[in-house]
Amino acid sequence: MKNRIATLIASGLLVAASVGAGVVLPGQAVAGSRASVQTNDTVYFEPAGSGQHIRYEGGSHANDVTVGLDGNGDILIVDNNAVGMTATSPCTVDGTGTQVTCPKTNGPLSSDKVYNITLKTNDGDDTLGADSVGNVTGTSMPIKVTLTGFGGNDTATATAGYVWVVGGDGDDILTSGPGVSGYNEYIYGSAGNDTIYTDGSSTDLDRIYCDNNLDLGYTDTVYKENQDIIMGYPHWPPPALSSGCDTVYSS
């Protein structure tokens, strides 16, 4: 189940959505072994593509993590369930151990700027949230946020900004809020009985994947805006597999 997004990337279906320097596709953002489980949260500030990537790795507790901006316009990641979060430079941890602040840029070069932020929780019933984090420094390109629930019955909610939502295995509740004009957002339910909501405008187009119709016995329900698109999973040889979205309501 967890390799489906990588399959989408390999198929070329998502290439067009990655236009823009430093954009990391969900399959790239969530890649990595889960053999070693972290006991607490860590935020990494690291190179990715032609820019910088802020990556939150949730610990083994039930994560309750959000990302947005603080009063100074810096990136703020908060996990109210954390005990002693850690972070790599130039990010800093506050005195409570529950908040990490990162700058949007770490120097004068284009490669010093943050283009992507990923929140990836662990197995378990986690809560993830994202508000708008604004644009890449000195550009009109929005910073892309990816919320990844991985395993468990997760709730992932995007209230604003350019956000992709990945449920992972489990019975998830996924919400894509108003996005950024001209930037298509993607929602992946994956395995489980998922409920997906989209909310936007005619210029905010969501592309929705439930399961791939091979997850027999799962029931997915979608509440979407009229302009949002239910997608099928790529398959070779054609045709593409069904989207797996069992019940769809449009408004």
Side-chain angles (χ1 to χ4, degrees):
M1 306 298 179
K2 295 160 189 171
N3 292 325
R4 292 198 189 113
I5 298 171
T7 302
L8 290 171
I9 295 167
S11 72
L13 181 65
L14 299 186
V15 171
S18 65
V19 175
V23 173
V24 177
L25 294 170
Q28 296 169 306
V30 301
S33 171
R34 304 295 296 189
S36 177
V37 177
Q38 295 182 187
T39 57
N40 209 356
D41 309 334
T42 302
V43 175
Y44 301 90
F45 192 102
E46 58 191 8
S50 58
Q52 298 295 316
H53 179 201
I54 296 174
R55 177 170 58 91
Y56 160 96
E57 289 276 352
S60 54
H61 60 85
N63 306 125
D64 181 9
V65 60
T66 60
V67 63
L69 296 177
D70 68 6
N72 297 318
D74 292 322
I75 305 297
L76 178 64
I77 297 174
V78 179
D79 187 342
N80 292 316
N81 291 341
V83 180
M85 292 176 73
T86 59
T88 62
S89 179
C91 300
T92 58
V93 184
D94 80 333
T96 69
T98 63
Q99 301 184 17
V100 170
T101 303
C102 302
K104 285 188 175 183
T105 185
N106 194 33
L109 302 178
S110 176
S111 58
D112 296 324
K113 300 174 182 179
V114 173
Y115 288 83
N116 298 275
I117 300 170
T118 299
L119 304 186
K120 181 174 65 173
T121 60
N122 218 310
D123 289 336
D125 301 340
D126 303 309
T127 301
L128 305 89
D131 200 356
S132 175
V133 293
N135 293 337
V136 176
T137 300
T139 77
S140 60
M141 177 191 302
I143 296 174
K144 178 184 158 196
V145 176
T146 303
L147 303 179
T148 302
F150 204 70
N153 302 326
D154 304 311
T155 300
T157 305
T159 56
Y162 180 38
V163 184
W164 290 21
V165 182
V166 183
D169 293 353
D171 301 341
D172 305 312
I173 300 174
L174 311 176
T175 303
S176 175
V180 178
S181 177
Y183 288 83
N184 296 338
E185 297 176 322
Y186 287 76
I187 308 170
Y188 299 86
S190 300
N193 303 310
D194 302 316
T195 304
I196 295 174
Y197 300 89
T198 68
D199 180 20
S201 66
S202 59
T203 58
D204 170 30
L205 181 63
D206 292 306
R207 298 179 183 271
I208 302 164
Y209 296 84
C210 292
D211 56 53
N212 70 354
N213 208 34
L214 297 179
D215 300 327
L216 299 179
Y218 296 132
T219 301
D220 298 312
T221 304
V222 176
Y223 300 85
K224 73 178 189 69
E225 302 290 317
N226 286 326
Q227 75 274 5
D228 297 330
I229 301 174
I230 302 294
M231 304 294 291
Y233 280 82
H235 184 264
W236 188 262
L241 297 174
S242 165
S243 69
C245 300
D246 301 286
T247 304
V248 178
Y249 301 96
S250 297
S251 60

